[in-house]
Amino acid sequence: MPLVPKQVVQDRYEVVRSIKSGGMGAVYEAIDLKLASTPCAIKEILCSALQSADAKYVLQSFESEMRSLANLDHPNIPRVRDYFDIEGRRYIVLDLVQGQGLDDELQDHLRVTNEPMDPEVVALDMVSVLETLAYLHSHKPPIVHRDIKSANLIRDKRLGKIKLVDFGIARSVETQQVQTQVGTPGFCAPEQLAGRAEPRSDVFSVGATLYHLTTGKLPPTFAFEPMDAELPGH
């Protein structure tokens, strides 16, 4: 069952509203009753995802997000507060990023002006994303986000900073000898589509995101090479 407003989880988190839901999970706004009623976000794996043929992969992705975020300390990455399991459902509690995704911001621009976003604004936003990626990639081994795109970049409405969210498929390079082909078509680098994501793959995705925001069009997709093929350059 999905969480509902006023429901209290773990005797601590009171649900305020549903923010979004999809095939793999849901995100809720809540307040932390044991931390001065501060706002937070609860991410949940939906039952439908757990019962699917890919349930093992879904759970591994969720647990990967928890482990990746728990060790991070950067102003542009939401901080993990808690992690728990209720009757087989996984939850992670993070600081709430109050703002708008850049994909929605782009749609607002298109509706109001019939034009995509200002290239100068987008360029500054992408510099901020690259600075966040420099932090992730500086870890030993480097952490590769693997899903940089407009929807996973939120503009904090208080400070205007770009926050990088959704680490569900993030991986350290050290653990990537065998990878699934994951990510969002059009935003993925060739080597990522071939199952070999590395730090430069995230940089490619930043370029694809810049294209999306400044043209209003989704980046073009392309076929990937077999796993044993030579990596194409970019």
Side-chain angles (χ1 to χ4, degrees):
M1 292 292 291
L3 302 181
V4 296
K6 300 296 184 181
Q7 181 178 350
V8 177
V9 183
Q10 294 292 91
D11 295 322
R12 176 171 181 174
Y13 307 106
E14 182 177 330
V15 177
V16 175
R17 65 184 178 95
S18 172
I19 296 176
K20 66 176 181 178
S21 63
M24 290 179 62
V27 180
Y28 302 89
E29 179 182 348
I31 56 174
D32 189 337
L33 300 175
K34 294 185 179 180
L35 195 60
S37 294
T38 52
C40 58
I42 301 176
K43 184 171 182 179
E44 172 195 31
I45 290 186
L46 296 180
C47 292
S48 58
L50 291 174
Q51 295 167 357
S52 70
D54 297 326
K56 182 177 180 180
Y57 170 72
V58 172
L59 291 176
Q60 288 176 340
S61 295
F62 186 81
E63 291 168 359
S64 172
E65 176 175 18
M66 183 277 299
R67 290 193 299 270
S68 297
L69 285 175
N71 294 318
L72 300 180
D73 183 13
H74 190 279
N76 294 344
I77 298 173
R79 178 177 58 91
V80 167
R81 294 191 184 192
D82 199 359
Y83 172 75
F84 51 88
D85 180 302
I86 299 177
E87 297 180 351
R89 287 176 289 169
R90 266 62 171 185
Y91 298 87
I92 184 171
V93 183
L94 311 98
D95 287 343
L96 179 67
V97 180
Q98 296 180 318
Q100 185 179 39
L102 294 189
D103 58 335
D104 290 332
E105 191 171 319
L106 170 62
Q107 294 307 312
D108 287 347
H109 273 268
L110 291 172
R111 279 194 297 269
V112 174
T113 68
N114 203 32
E115 296 288 340
M117 293 172 62
D118 184 338
E120 292 186 7
V121 173
V122 175
L124 290 174
D125 290 341
M126 294 306 103
V127 168
S128 176
V129 176
L130 289 172
E131 290 172 346
T132 306
L133 288 177
Y135 167 76
L136 291 173
H137 297 166
S138 70
H139 283 68
K140 298 188 183 302
I143 296 173
V144 182
H145 186 278
R146 299 205 300 173
D147 203 19
I148 303 294
K149 59 183 179 181
S150 312
N152 285 339
L153 301 171
I154 300 179
R155 191 184 306 282
D156 187 320
K157 69 179 183 182
R158 296 173 301 169
L159 303 175
K161 291 185 177 181
I162 300 300
K163 304 283 188 175
L164 176 58
V165 301
D166 201 344
F167 281 68
I169 60 175
R171 294 290 185 277
S172 66
V173 172
E174 191 174 72
T175 63
Q176 294 193 54
Q177 288 87 353
V178 178
Q179 295 181 43
T180 51
Q181 295 159 354
V182 295
T184 302
F187 292 89
C188 290
E191 69 278 358
Q192 181 172 337
L193 289 171
R196 296 172 174 171
E198 57 183 89
R200 66 174 183 163
S201 309
D202 283 344
V203 178
F204 179 99
S205 298
V206 172
T209 301
L210 187 149
Y211 173 91
H212 180 215
L213 296 173
T214 56
T215 67
K217 301 176 182 178
L218 289 173
T221 59
F222 45 84
F224 59 85
E225 297 292 335
M227 291 289 288
D228 57 353
E230 291 295 322
L231 293 182
H234 61 264

